[in-house]
Amino acid sequence: MSALALGLVAALCWGFHDICVRFLSQKTSISACIFTVILTGLIFHTMATISTGTLEALPARAVYLSIGSGISFVVATFGLYYAFERGPVKLVAPLIAGYPILSVGWAAVQGHPVSALQWFAVLAIVGGVSCVAALSDKTDQETPPIGPTVLFALIAAAGFAGTFAFGQAAAAMSHEMPSTLVTRVTALLLVVGILILFKQPFWAGRKALPWLIAMGLADGIALMCVLSAGALENAKYASVSSSLFGMLTVILAWMFLKERMTVAQWSGCAVAFAGVGFLAL
């Protein structure tokens, strides 16, 4: 599969993950959700690594990069959860969806060629996703002050960009399965330490557990797809296309929850997918 296709698979998985968060975030502790999802992702990836016979020693530099990816992933996850908890979606989603700009910018700094038309396609994707997500929030409820909300959203965007930059660099110099496993182990250990330090709950409850396990599997597949693209040509495009997860969440809500999609939102979808199609050429 191409890096772009891997990113699209990741976007679909994260879209499913986010639509589940809509149900669970109001009834379940955020810390317990994050712990269960990351633990499930680690178990999934461990089994996948062992079953494929790809468990092998990594160069020291790949280990360090994978650890950096794991730390960035935890930062991104907490930032995303807390930003969406505060809301509104129309403020948070466009900020988080901007992480491909950081990813492509970093690739350009490293010497990977990015043409003006490719930059335009990236901006079209981010703009389309932002349009769909922003127009999906029709709530009139009072929201907390926007300053901390913006900060959490920007932290999430930077965290995702760092996750993919470090993880793809590690995968490029080693095998992607063991390097992503190091990322997963690092993320779980860091989450456990944070929850113990701040005395947060680990148990999400029996009713939420099946959904969280499904979310963890989806998250595990998504992260593996994006980081595995590091060994492919144009790895940066996996980060770009994975940002469609915010838009796909809204589309899934339209399909399964019967939420309304406006003409403007469908136009945003068309613009975003046109950008993906151009990058695929």
Side-chain angles (χ1 to χ4, degrees), residues 69-186:
S69 180
I71 294 171
S72 298
F73 186 62
V74 172
V75 170
T77 300
F78 274 97
L80 181 144
Y81 271 76
Y82 281 109
F84 275 112
E85 182 191 36
R86 295 175 63 88
V89 171
K90 62 186 176 185
L91 171 66
V92 172
L95 292 173
I96 296 178
Y99 72 80
I101 298 174
L102 299 176
S103 296
V104 176
W106 179 245
V109 169
Q110 290 182 307
H112 299 286
V114 182
S115 69
L117 287 176
Q118 288 171 326
W119 269 115
F120 182 78
V122 170
L123 293 175
I125 293 169
V126 172
V129 172
S130 299
C131 175
V132 175
L135 294 175
S136 70
D137 186 16
K138 302 298 182 183
T139 181
D140 294 323
Q141 293 180 348
E142 217 174 295
T143 57
I146 67 170
T149 305
V150 169
L151 179 61
F152 280 129
L154 292 177
I155 287 172
F160 280 124
T163 299
F164 304 147
F166 289 131
Q168 289 179 350
M173 65 177 59
S174 60
H175 197 287
E176 65 269 14
M177 294 297 284
S179 62
T180 306
L181 183 60
V182 174
T183 295
R184 281 286 178 187
V185 171
T186 301

Side-chain angles (χ1 to χ4, degrees), residues 18-41:
D18 285 359
I19 204 170
C20 291
V21 170
R22 288 191 178 189
F23 291 103
L24 297 177
S25 60
Q26 304 301 317
K27 303 177 182 179
T28 310
S29 164
I30 286 180
S31 64
C33 288
I34 292 174
F35 169 74
T36 307
V37 167
I38 289 184
L39 175 62
T40 303

Side-chain angles (χ1 to χ4, degrees), residues 220-261:
I221 294 170
L223 186 62
M224 183 170 65
C225 284
V226 178
L227 298 191
S228 295
L232 302 176
E233 186 180 0
N234 292 321
K236 55 187 176 293
Y237 294 152
S239 304
V240 174
S241 55
S242 70
S243 71
L244 292 172
F245 72 84
M247 186 180 73
L248 292 179
T249 301
V250 178
I251 295 176
L252 289 171
W254 169 74
M255 292 174 61
F256 298 108
L257 303 181
K258 307 304 179 184
E259 293 188 5
R260 183 170 171 266
M261 285 277 287

Side-chain angles (χ1 to χ4, degrees), residues 48-56:
T49 303
I50 294 173
S51 65
T52 55
T54 53
L55 188 61
E56 58 186 50

